[in-house]
Amino acid sequence: QLVESGGDLVQPGRSLRLSCSAPGYTYSTYCLAWFRQAPGKEHQGVAVIFDDDKRTTSYADFVKGRFTISKDNAKNTLYLQMDNLNPEDTAMYYCATGHCLTCTGGDCLRSEAYKEEYTYWGQGTQVTVS
């Protein structure tokens, strides 16, 4: 339902832009987010954008100032611009959309939120920084 793209192998300090293409009914949700998962670890929230008047965003502390989440409603596409990548950013990156009924702001990036607050998920795109 959601299709991520843009993952690649890059050197530290470089940039990547991830895209997530979503059919209308999966895109027209209140919250759209990026999570990541490294081998042997839980899903980790990266960034979320809310479908409110201000397009409010929230970021995990470890990406603040480096990553930017955005969306293009005309294309039903969610983006994640990732700058100044470092090896710790290596992971599979997933987009997720849902209604975030019981979370607000950064709470929607908790590991538990991945299954609790979001309804649709993609298959992931691999980002490797080395």
Side-chain angles (χ1 to χ4, degrees):
Q1 293 167 324
L2 306 182
V3 179
E4 301 95 336
S5 63
D8 205 348
L9 168 63
V10 296
Q11 294 179 331
R14 303 300 292 268
S15 298
L16 280 176
R17 188 176 80 156
L18 306 183
S19 299
C20 172
S21 177
Y25 69 94
T26 65
Y27 183 85
S28 299
T29 56
Y30 178 61
C31 53
L32 302 90
W34 289 95
F35 283 76
R36 69 186 188 186
Q37 187 178 32
K41 295 188 177 181
E42 293 182 322
H43 283 93
Q44 190 178 38
V46 176
V48 59
I49 185 167
F50 298 93
D51 190 29
D52 56 19
D53 291 342
K54 298 181 180 180
R55 290 198 178 184
T56 302
T57 59
S58 186
Y59 295 90
D61 286 343
F62 53 80
V63 301
K64 283 182 180 177
R66 298 190 300 126
F67 291 10
T68 303
I69 188 171
S70 63
K71 65 191 188 90
D72 185 334
N73 291 344
K75 297 181 178 179
N76 280 13
T77 302
L78 178 71
Y79 299 102
L80 184 68
Q81 176 67 39
M82 305 188 295
D83 298 321
N84 194 22
L85 286 160
N86 60 59
E88 290 71 36
D89 295 318
T90 295
M92 186 73 80
Y93 283 71
Y94 300 88
C95 61
T97 65
H99 296 287
C100 293
L101 296 177
T102 64
C103 67
T104 58
D107 284 345
C108 300
L109 294 177
R110 294 176 297 110
S111 293
E112 298 83 357
Y114 184 72
K115 287 296 187 181
E116 293 175 356
E117 306 289 352
Y118 298 90
T119 307
Y120 306 103
W121 306 271
Q123 295 299 308
T125 185
Q126 178 67 38
V127 173
T128 303
V129 185
S130 178

